[in-house]
Amino acid sequence: MTAIYSTLTELLQERKKLTGTGVTFIEAGAKEVVLPYSELYDSAISALSFLQSQGLRPKDELVFQIEDNRTFVIVFWACILGGIVPVPLAIGRNDDHKQKLFNIWPLLKNPFLIISSDNLFQMGAFAQQQGLESLFAVIGKKMINEADLFSSNGYGEIYKADENDVAFVQFSSGSTGAPKGVMLTHKNLLTNVRAISAAANYSKEDSMLSWMPLTHDMGLIGFHINPLFSAMDHYLMPPALFVRRPSLWLDKATGHKATILSAPNFGYEYLMRHCNVVSGQYDWDLRSVRLLYNGAEPISESICRNFLHQLSKYGLKSNAMCPVYGLAEASLAVSISGLDNEVESLALSRNQLQTGARIRLIA
């Protein structure tokens, strides 16, 4: 990339010129919604108008309880354009996720919440069970109904962000303990996605496909902001759709000739467990795939090797699996394996892993 952007706002303003490139939302096997970057910008600026009409101003936080990927992406960029700070949280499907909302709310300066009426009802029931009625009443006064988001035809007022402004807050933990919010600036994010793009040799000829949740840094930064930065097409599947139909992940990778995919270690195991891969019954053609990131949890060498072996009959290259390491505190990526390397491992003595110790190989 030759252009240098100092903020995500500038990045999206430049990408809106790409009328034929964008993000495709895979909603079912035969249902996809294409959103070019130009239309993403228009939708975001309209959504910003609505958010501003509800009282949100630059530096205010907007906590996300948004399930639909398309809505999530539009609201995220509406916040970026308006200087509002997104706080993405996983939908409160279980008690830990519900509790997390109540844990983080007091940590924020002037938070609002965007949520569907159904999910708000469930949060209310949880609050009553846990004795959190007073805090829920406070949250309810700052609630924006997701269904009203696209009711505005206005044009939001763009905030001129500085590279050191907080772009969004990534909460890395806190479901059962003290929440830990990582404040990611525009500079943090652009520095990291620029480094990822260089290390992985991204180009606009690549395309990315992911089922990772957008509330996770690998999903949002790695497979949405990064492809937008590199001016490439990308495809997003809901995690629940992958869980119901894991084979659809590689169906879509085949159909769209995706070059970059990703999953945590369990995702590769899950696909092998629920799909009869060795039967050769699928019409997958994975010759276009050059990178399969494996990160976000401990990586099993045996699962990597089994996956590569079983999928080789569909054209998957033996060096496609790319173990990576990252953490929210670093925006996303810290290390990436060599692009041409096959998976390898070392066995080290656990007694010589302290800082400054000389590592010792064991058989």
Side-chain angles (χ1 to χ4, degrees), residues 272-300:
M272 289 188 292
R273 187 167 67 247
H274 293 278
C275 300
N276 189 7
V277 176
V278 295
S279 68
Q281 69 187 56
Y282 300 99
D283 294 325
W284 297 331
D285 181 352
L286 304 178
R287 288 175 295 177
S288 297
V289 177
R290 68 178 187 88
L291 286 177
L292 275 172
Y293 289 129
N294 189 330
E297 65 180 19
I299 299 169
S300 164

Short mmCIF file of all heavy atoms in Angstrom, two decimals, residues 272-300:
data_model
loop_
_atom_site.label_atom_id
_atom_site.label_comp_id
_atom_site.label_asym_id
_atom_site.label_seq_id
_atom_site.Cartn_x
_atom_site.Cartn_y
_atom_site.Cartn_z
N MET A 272 -13.31 -31.48 11.07
CA MET A 272 -12.96 -32.87 10.80
C MET A 272 -13.90 -33.83 11.54
O MET A 272 -14.21 -34.91 11.03
CB MET A 272 -11.51 -33.13 11.22
CG MET A 272 -10.49 -32.47 10.31
SD MET A 272 -8.77 -32.97 10.68
CE MET A 272 -8.52 -32.21 12.29
N ARG A 273 -14.35 -33.43 12.72
CA ARG A 273 -15.22 -34.31 13.52
C ARG A 273 -16.62 -34.40 12.94
O ARG A 273 -17.27 -35.45 13.01
CB ARG A 273 -15.25 -33.81 14.96
CG ARG A 273 -15.99 -34.77 15.91
CD ARG A 273 -15.75 -34.44 17.37
NE ARG A 273 -16.35 -33.17 17.75
CZ ARG A 273 -15.67 -32.09 18.11
NH1 ARG A 273 -14.33 -32.12 18.09
NH2 ARG A 273 -16.29 -30.99 18.47
N HIS A 274 -17.12 -33.29 12.37
CA HIS A 274 -18.50 -33.25 11.91
C HIS A 274 -18.67 -33.40 10.40
O HIS A 274 -19.81 -33.46 9.92
CB HIS A 274 -19.17 -31.96 12.39
CG HIS A 274 -19.33 -31.89 13.88
ND1 HIS A 274 -20.37 -32.49 14.53
CD2 HIS A 274 -18.56 -31.31 14.84
CE1 HIS A 274 -20.25 -32.29 15.84
NE2 HIS A 274 -19.16 -31.56 16.05
N CYS A 275 -17.59 -33.44 9.67
CA CYS A 275 -17.65 -33.66 8.22
C CYS A 275 -16.82 -34.89 7.88
O CYS A 275 -15.70 -35.04 8.39
CB CYS A 275 -17.11 -32.45 7.45
SG CYS A 275 -17.99 -30.91 7.75
N ASN A 276 -17.34 -35.72 7.03
CA ASN A 276 -16.61 -36.91 6.62
C ASN A 276 -15.61 -36.53 5.53
O ASN A 276 -15.79 -36.85 4.35
CB ASN A 276 -17.60 -37.98 6.13
CG ASN A 276 -16.93 -39.31 5.89
OD1 ASN A 276 -15.76 -39.50 6.21
ND2 ASN A 276 -17.66 -40.25 5.32
N VAL A 277 -14.57 -35.83 5.96
CA VAL A 277 -13.62 -35.23 5.02
C VAL A 277 -12.93 -36.28 4.17
O VAL A 277 -12.74 -36.12 2.96
CB VAL A 277 -12.59 -34.38 5.79
CG1 VAL A 277 -11.54 -33.83 4.84
CG2 VAL A 277 -13.28 -33.25 6.53
N VAL A 278 -12.53 -37.39 4.80
CA VAL A 278 -11.74 -38.39 4.09
C VAL A 278 -12.53 -39.11 3.02
O VAL A 278 -11.95 -39.78 2.16
CB VAL A 278 -11.15 -39.42 5.09
CG1 VAL A 278 -10.16 -38.75 6.02
CG2 VAL A 278 -12.26 -40.10 5.88
N SER A 279 -13.85 -38.98 3.03
CA SER A 279 -14.68 -39.67 2.04
C SER A 279 -14.52 -39.07 0.64
O SER A 279 -14.83 -39.73 -0.35
CB SER A 279 -16.16 -39.59 2.44
OG SER A 279 -16.64 -38.25 2.34
N GLY A 280 -14.07 -37.84 0.57
CA GLY A 280 -13.95 -37.18 -0.73
C GLY A 280 -15.28 -36.79 -1.33
O GLY A 280 -15.38 -36.53 -2.53
N GLN A 281 -16.32 -36.71 -0.49
CA GLN A 281 -17.67 -36.47 -1.00
C GLN A 281 -17.95 -35.00 -1.31
O GLN A 281 -18.96 -34.68 -1.93
CB GLN A 281 -18.70 -36.96 0.03
CG GLN A 281 -18.75 -36.14 1.30
CD GLN A 281 -19.65 -36.74 2.37
OE1 GLN A 281 -19.48 -37.89 2.77
NE2 GLN A 281 -20.62 -35.98 2.81
N TYR A 282 -17.07 -34.10 -0.88
CA TYR A 282 -17.33 -32.67 -1.06
C TYR A 282 -16.71 -32.16 -2.36
O TYR A 282 -15.74 -32.73 -2.87
CB TYR A 282 -16.78 -31.89 0.13
CG TYR A 282 -17.41 -32.31 1.44
CD1 TYR A 282 -16.74 -33.19 2.30
CD2 TYR A 282 -18.67 -31.86 1.82
CE1 TYR A 282 -17.31 -33.59 3.50
CE2 TYR A 282 -19.25 -32.25 3.01
CZ TYR A 282 -18.57 -33.12 3.85
OH TYR A 282 -19.13 -33.53 5.03
N ASP A 283 -17.30 -31.09 -2.87
CA ASP A 283 -16.80 -30.50 -4.12
C ASP A 283 -15.84 -29.34 -3.83
O ASP A 283 -15.80 -28.36 -4.56
CB ASP A 283 -17.98 -29.97 -4.96
CG ASP A 283 -18.87 -31.10 -5.44
OD1 ASP A 283 -18.33 -32.19 -5.72
OD2 ASP A 283 -20.09 -30.90 -5.52
N TRP A 284 -15.08 -29.46 -2.77
CA TRP A 284 -14.15 -28.40 -2.39
C TRP A 284 -12.96 -28.34 -3.34
O TRP A 284 -12.43 -29.37 -3.77
CB TRP A 284 -13.64 -28.62 -0.97
CG TRP A 284 -14.69 -28.56 0.09
CD1 TRP A 284 -15.86 -27.85 0.06
CD2 TRP A 284 -14.67 -29.26 1.34
NE1 TRP A 284 -16.57 -28.05 1.22
CE2 TRP A 284 -15.87 -28.90 2.03
CE3 TRP A 284 -13.78 -30.13 1.96
CZ2 TRP A 284 -16.18 -29.40 3.29
CZ3 TRP A 284 -14.07 -30.63 3.22
CH2 TRP A 284 -15.26 -30.27 3.87
N ASP A 285 -12.57 -27.13 -3.65
CA ASP A 285 -11.34 -26.89 -4.41
C ASP A 285 -10.58 -25.80 -3.66
O ASP A 285 -10.91 -24.62 -3.73
CB ASP A 285 -11.65 -26.43 -5.84
CG ASP A 285 -10.40 -26.19 -6.67
OD1 ASP A 285 -9.28 -26.24 -6.10
OD2 ASP A 285 -10.52 -25.94 -7.88
N LEU A 286 -9.57 -26.23 -2.90
CA LEU A 286 -8.86 -25.32 -2.00
C LEU A 286 -7.48 -24.92 -2.53
O LEU A 286 -6.63 -24.47 -1.78
CB LEU A 286 -8.72 -25.98 -0.62
CG LEU A 286 -10.04 -26.43 0.02
CD1 LEU A 286 -9.79 -27.12 1.35
CD2 LEU A 286 -11.00 -25.26 0.18
N ARG A 287 -7.32 -25.04 -3.83
CA ARG A 287 -6.02 -24.68 -4.41
C ARG A 287 -5.74 -23.18 -4.29
O ARG A 287 -4.57 -22.76 -4.31
CB ARG A 287 -5.97 -25.11 -5.88
CG ARG A 287 -5.87 -26.62 -6.08
CD ARG A 287 -5.95 -27.00 -7.54
NE ARG A 287 -7.28 -26.68 -8.10
CZ ARG A 287 -7.61 -26.85 -9.37
NH1 ARG A 287 -6.70 -27.32 -10.22
NH2 ARG A 287 -8.82 -26.56 -9.80
N SER A 288 -6.77 -22.37 -4.15
CA SER A 288 -6.56 -20.92 -4.03
C SER A 288 -6.10 -20.50 -2.65
O SER A 288 -5.56 -19.41 -2.47
CB SER A 288 -7.86 -20.17 -4.36
OG SER A 288 -8.26 -20.39 -5.69
N VAL A 289 -6.32 -21.35 -1.65
CA VAL A 289 -6.00 -20.99 -0.26
C VAL A 289 -4.49 -21.00 -0.06
O VAL A 289 -3.84 -22.04 -0.21
CB VAL A 289 -6.67 -21.95 0.73
CG1 VAL A 289 -6.27 -21.59 2.17
CG2 VAL A 289 -8.18 -21.92 0.57
N ARG A 290 -3.95 -19.85 0.31
CA ARG A 290 -2.51 -19.79 0.58
C ARG A 290 -2.19 -19.66 2.06
O ARG A 290 -1.08 -19.98 2.49
CB ARG A 290 -1.84 -18.66 -0.21
CG ARG A 290 -2.21 -17.24 0.19
CD ARG A 290 -1.43 -16.23 -0.66
NE ARG A 290 -1.62 -14.84 -0.22
CZ ARG A 290 -0.88 -14.24 0.70
NH1 ARG A 290 0.11 -14.90 1.28
NH2 ARG A 290 -1.10 -12.98 1.04
N LEU A 291 -3.16 -19.20 2.87
CA LEU A 291 -2.94 -19.06 4.30
C LEU A 291 -4.16 -19.54 5.09
O LEU A 291 -5.29 -19.15 4.81
CB LEU A 291 -2.67 -17.60 4.68
CG LEU A 291 -1.30 -17.00 4.32
CD1 LEU A 291 -1.27 -15.53 4.70
CD2 LEU A 291 -0.19 -17.76 5.02
N LEU A 292 -3.89 -20.40 6.06
CA LEU A 292 -4.89 -20.84 7.03
C LEU A 292 -4.35 -20.45 8.40
O LEU A 292 -3.52 -21.16 8.97
CB LEU A 292 -5.07 -22.35 6.98
CG LEU A 292 -6.02 -22.99 5.98
CD1 LEU A 292 -5.85 -24.50 6.02
CD2 LEU A 292 -7.46 -22.63 6.29
N TYR A 293 -4.76 -19.32 8.91
CA TYR A 293 -4.29 -18.92 10.23
C TYR A 293 -4.84 -19.85 11.30
O TYR A 293 -5.99 -20.26 11.26
CB TYR A 293 -4.72 -17.49 10.56
CG TYR A 293 -4.03 -16.41 9.76
CD1 TYR A 293 -4.76 -15.43 9.10
CD2 TYR A 293 -2.64 -16.36 9.67
CE1 TYR A 293 -4.14 -14.43 8.38
CE2 TYR A 293 -2.00 -15.37 8.94
CZ TYR A 293 -2.76 -14.40 8.30
OH TYR A 293 -2.13 -13.42 7.58
N ASN A 294 -3.99 -20.16 12.27
CA ASN A 294 -4.40 -20.95 13.42
C ASN A 294 -3.94 -20.18 14.66
O ASN A 294 -2.74 -20.07 14.91
CB ASN A 294 -3.78 -22.35 13.39
CG ASN A 294 -4.36 -23.27 14.45
OD1 ASN A 294 -4.77 -22.84 15.51
ND2 ASN A 294 -4.35 -24.56 14.16
N GLY A 295 -4.88 -19.60 15.40
CA GLY A 295 -4.52 -18.82 16.57
C GLY A 295 -5.69 -18.67 17.50
O GLY A 295 -6.70 -19.36 17.38
N ALA A 296 -5.56 -17.79 18.48
CA ALA A 296 -6.60 -17.45 19.46
C ALA A 296 -6.73 -18.47 20.59
O ALA A 296 -7.47 -18.24 21.53
CB ALA A 296 -7.96 -17.23 18.80
N GLU A 297 -6.01 -19.59 20.51
CA GLU A 297 -5.99 -20.57 21.59
C GLU A 297 -4.78 -21.48 21.36
O GLU A 297 -4.16 -21.42 20.29
CB GLU A 297 -7.28 -21.38 21.62
CG GLU A 297 -7.51 -22.25 20.41
CD GLU A 297 -8.82 -23.04 20.48
OE1 GLU A 297 -9.69 -22.65 21.27
OE2 GLU A 297 -8.95 -24.04 19.77
N PRO A 298 -4.41 -22.29 22.35
CA PRO A 298 -3.27 -23.20 22.15
C PRO A 298 -3.43 -24.04 20.88
O PRO A 298 -4.52 -24.50 20.56
CB PRO A 298 -3.28 -24.06 23.42
CG PRO A 298 -3.89 -23.17 24.46
CD PRO A 298 -4.93 -22.38 23.73
N ILE A 299 -2.33 -24.22 20.18
CA ILE A 299 -2.33 -24.88 18.87
C ILE A 299 -1.82 -26.31 19.01
O ILE A 299 -0.77 -26.55 19.60
CB ILE A 299 -1.46 -24.09 17.87
CG1 ILE A 299 -2.02 -22.68 17.70
CG2 ILE A 299 -1.38 -24.82 16.53
CD1 ILE A 299 -1.09 -21.75 16.95
N SER A 300 -2.56 -27.24 18.45
CA SER A 300 -2.18 -28.65 18.47
C SER A 300 -1.48 -29.00 17.16
O SER A 300 -2.07 -28.87 16.08
CB SER A 300 -3.42 -29.53 18.66
OG SER A 300 -3.13 -30.87 18.31
#
